[in-house]
């Protein structure tokens, strides 16, 4: 199976579905569900309240992705142009050095139980920790199916939080939710433990809910982007500067991270997962020294002079539960990805976020996002100058690197390339 489908962009949607079916082995009739948006009003009426109709969202497929040595075509649902192109572009560049390498933590989601009016918060904290085994057993009794899959409460911690009205005792349940996003699962456990926690702490329980700061459910992606494939050493240096500003400046970090979420949210939506939960987790994780909002990703230059991109982000997505199982288009999207676990899905999503981020920075580092779009124009200039298919990418890279997307420059570059090749 290959995700390299040059010219995919020039095909019709129907022909693209046929190409995707051929490449992935997913039956065409499964893909044809996407042609109509994949959801009926009747189905929607069982998903949310007061349904009156549907909102169609474009579903594209990003090409060129290679993740941990396997090619994958990635479904992306978004209204924003150039996002799918950008992800595909970065994935193409990453392939030169083996594509994306990913990993992830265990799928641990945390529930919080807030206890108020505790006379001795520090004493309550230790009493609750002493009762840890009892509380964990009570929590696991709420979801025998999850436990049967190897999931369940892994640990418990108790924090004393200083707030303006006073000190709260906050119990965290750390729950391995396996292939679920896990919100319903951990919320059920938190509600079941509330009375016992209040009794041990000697206080009144108020909130019993998961935290979306899912910093124990992390997915990671890294890739090497070859300097020449990017457009040269100067461009690599400029990308590092662009990323460094995002690390240092919250104003730039907000847009830098929005660029990452362009990729992440498109795949989260396509697979019927909770985009708000993923966005809340990502932005709450983007905190650097001194508590300042910062960039989620990092870029540096390796010993070969190539660019190394890394991204680590909470990724609370599921394959069971939520809309993933009930929305037909989401089911098709998951089949396309060929993932067997929620962790595999989380890792591919993170790789797409890194790809999106790189593509945006590369475009910005070549005199603005528009210039990045102009690269399509540069291709036309190269063709007009008489470049062959093999010469076009080299001419385009030189035009972009030289910041001279012009016909006369294209002819000069072509002449230089041909003289070099004898
Ligand atoms: C737009 C490109 C990709 C052109 O880039 P290019 O280098 O001109 O593209 P190309 O024509 O040389 O094609 C290279 C590859 O890009 C893909 N590609 C290229 N064009 C298409 C297309 N039409 N349809 C589908 N795929 C396309 C495709 O994969 C293709 O290779 P192939 O697979 O064909 O061998 C580039 O300029 C780019 O990546 N720009 C970034 C665009 C972007 O980030 N868009 C998001 C919206 S802007 C934003 O919200 C984020 C931002 C910028 O604010 C974040 C931040 O500030 O950090
Ligand atoms: N703040 C937030 O993010 C909130 C999000 N939500 C929503 O909650 C939904 C996700 O909750 P979630 O708990 O995932 O949904 P579900 O409760 O629908 O699915 C989880 C359940 O599926 C069962 N299950 C079957 N197979 C597996 C498996 N392989 N691994 C794990 N569980 C399995 C489990 O047992 P069993 O069926 O016995 O339970 C588990 O409890 C999303 O739609 C989200 O929008 C809700 C509240 C708050």
């Amino acid at each position: 199976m290959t995700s390299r489908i040059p010219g995919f962009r020039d095909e019709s949607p129907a022909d693209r579905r046929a190409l995707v079916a051929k490449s992935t082995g997913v039956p065409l009739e499964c893909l044809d569900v996407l042609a109509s948006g994949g959801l009926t009003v009747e189905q929607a009426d069982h998903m949310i309240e007061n349904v009156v109709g549907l909102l169609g969202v474009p579903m594209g497929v990003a090409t060129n992705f290679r993740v941990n040595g396997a090619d994958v075509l990635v479904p992306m649902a978004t209204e924003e142009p150039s996002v799918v192109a950008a992800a595909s572009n970065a994935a193409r560049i990453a392939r030169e050095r083996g594509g994306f390498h990913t990993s992830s933590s265990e799928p641990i989601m945390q529930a919080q139980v807030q206890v108020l009016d505790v006379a001795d918060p520090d004493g309550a904290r230790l009493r609750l920790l002493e009762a840890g085994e009892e509380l964990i057993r009570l929590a696991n009794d709420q979801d025998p199916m999850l436990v049967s899959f190897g999931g369940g409460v892994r640990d418990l911690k108790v924090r004393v939080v200083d707030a303006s009205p006073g000190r709260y005792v906050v119990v965290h349940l750390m729950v391995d939710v396996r292939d679920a996003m896990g919100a319903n699962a951990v919320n059920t456990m938190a509600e079941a433990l509330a009375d016992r926690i209040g009794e041990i702490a000697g206080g009144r329980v108020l909130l019993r809910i998961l935290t979306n700061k899912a910093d124990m459910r992390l997915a990671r992606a890294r890739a090497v982007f070859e300097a020449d494939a990017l457009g040269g050493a100067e461009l690599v240096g400029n990308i590092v500067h662009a990323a460094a500003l995002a690390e240092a400046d919250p104003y730039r970090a907000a847009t830098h991270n929005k660029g990452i979420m362009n990729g992440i949210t498109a795949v989260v939506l396509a697979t019927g997962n909770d985009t708000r939960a993923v966005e809340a987790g990502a932005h709450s994780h983007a905190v650097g020294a001194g508590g300042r909002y910062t960039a989620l990703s990092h870029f540096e230059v390796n010993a070969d002079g190539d660019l190394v991109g890394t991204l680590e982000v909470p990724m609370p997505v599921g394959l069971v539960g939520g809309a993933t199982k009930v929305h037909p288009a989401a089911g098709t999207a998951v089949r396309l990805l060929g993932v067997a676990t929620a962790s595999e899905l989380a890792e591919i999503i993170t790789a797409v976020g890194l790809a999106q981020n790189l593509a945006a920075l590369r475009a910005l580092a070549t005199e603005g996002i528009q210039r990045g779009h102009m690269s399509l124009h540069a291709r036309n200039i190269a063709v007009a100058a008489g470049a062959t298919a093999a010469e076009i990418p080299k001419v385009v890279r030189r035009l972009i690197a030289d910041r001279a997307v012009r016909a006369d420059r294209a002819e000069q570059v072509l002449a230089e390339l041909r003289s070099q090749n004898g």
Side-chain angles (χ1 to χ4, degrees):
M1 183 260 174
T2 178
S3 62
R4 273 281 310 130
I5 315 179
F8 189 72
R9 73 178 88 164
D10 302 320
E11 302 291 344
S12 68
D15 289 344
R16 291 188 191 120
R17 289 196 298 273
L19 282 167
V20 169
K22 181 170 176 242
S23 181
T24 61
V26 172
L28 187 55
E29 54 272 16
C30 182
L31 283 159
D32 282 342
V33 158
L34 301 176
S36 61
L39 187 71
T40 65
V41 175
E42 185 189 5
Q43 288 168 324
D45 201 24
H46 297 304
M47 289 177 71
I48 65 167
E49 308 69 43
N50 300 351
V51 168
V52 294
L54 304 172
L55 169 70
V57 173
M59 171 95 87
V61 169
T63 56
N64 302 321
F65 273 89
R66 192 161 181 76
V67 181
N68 300 331
D71 275 31
V72 59
L73 289 170
V74 184
M76 296 177 75
T78 183
E79 88 297 338
E80 187 168 10
S82 80
V83 165
V84 177
S88 304
N89 189 24
R92 182 181 56 88
I93 296 169
R95 288 178 77 91
E96 308 270 338
R97 283 280 189 272
F100 298 87
H101 302 276
T102 65
S103 64
S104 53
S105 70
E106 288 298 299
I108 306 293
M109 295 295 281
Q110 296 183 68
Q112 290 187 296
V113 178
Q114 174 196 20
V115 191
L116 294 71
D117 306 334
V118 177
D120 58 337
D122 293 311
R125 176 174 175 271
L126 294 187
R127 289 195 297 276
L128 288 163
L129 290 172
E130 289 159 19
E133 281 188 24
E134 174 204 345
L135 294 171
I136 289 174
R137 191 169 49 252
L138 180 56
N140 282 330
D141 289 348
Q142 308 310 311
D143 204 335
M145 179 183 277
L146 185 61
V147 175
S148 71
F149 287 118
V153 181
R154 289 288 176 265
D155 201 356
L156 163 145
K157 74 177 177 183
V158 185
R159 301 161 58 224
V160 177
V161 178
D162 292 318
S164 49
R167 305 178 84 196
Y168 300 134
V169 176
V170 182
V171 178
H172 284 227
L173 283 176
M174 288 87 130
V175 187
D176 182 330
V177 295
R178 295 287 84 199
D179 295 319
M181 180 267 189
N184 289 336
V186 302
N187 292 341
T188 300
M189 291 179 179
E191 291 189 352
L193 262 60
D195 291 346
R196 183 62 183 132
I197 285 173
E199 186 183 355
I200 295 170
R204 174 169 67 90
V205 170
L206 185 59
L207 296 183
R208 298 91 69 213
I209 187 73
L210 87 160
T211 171
N212 286 112
K213 186 175 171 57
D215 57 8
M216 293 184 73
R217 191 174 192 175
L218 298 175
R220 309 172 199 96
R222 65 176 175 84
V224 177
F225 302 96
E226 192 181 81
D228 284 347
L230 281 171
E234 183 189 359
L235 185 50
V236 168
N238 287 338
I239 291 172
V240 170
H241 282 302
L245 178 61
E247 288 183 9
D249 173 22
Y251 287 95
R252 173 58 203 152
T255 317
H256 178 99
N257 292 340
K258 187 269 181 186
I260 292 169
M261 300 316 289
N262 274 343
I264 287 179
T265 303
V267 190
V268 172
L269 179 61
T271 56
N273 275 285
D274 186 330
T275 55
R276 290 80 59 210
V278 170
E279 297 261 0
H283 292 294
S284 63
H285 193 65
V287 178
R292 188 186 63 228
Y293 183 80
T294 188
L296 280 166
S297 65
H298 302 283
F299 289 87
E300 54 206 326
V301 184
N302 69 13
D304 299 328
D306 295 327
L307 184 70
V308 178
T310 52
L311 174 61
E312 180 175 48
V313 65
M315 196 47 67
V317 291
L319 289 184
V320 296
T324 307
K325 279 291 189 195
V326 297
H327 194 305
T332 296
V334 168
R335 281 191 72 171
L336 282 185
L337 288 162
V339 292
T341 66
S343 295
E344 285 178 28
L345 173 60
E347 291 179 23
I348 290 175
I349 291 171
T350 306
V352 176
L354 180 59
Q356 198 75 45
N357 186 207
L358 180 277
L361 295 182
R362 177 176 182 254
L364 288 167
T366 48
E367 287 180 4
I369 195 69
Q370 288 313 96
R371 173 64 183 274
H373 289 284
M374 286 288 283
S375 69
L376 281 174
H377 182 48
R379 231 153 54 101
N380 298 332
I381 294 284
V383 171
T388 64
E391 293 166 330
I392 290 170
K394 295 183 186 118
V395 173
V396 167
R397 278 202 290 269
R398 285 284 301 279
L399 294 181
I400 291 173
D402 299 349
R403 302 182 173 188
V405 182
R406 293 195 320 268
D408 59 328
R409 183 65 189 130
E411 285 164 11
Q412 287 171 356
V413 167
L414 205 50
E416 288 165 16
L417 283 174
R418 287 174 176 171
S419 66
Q420 284 165 11
N421 296 339

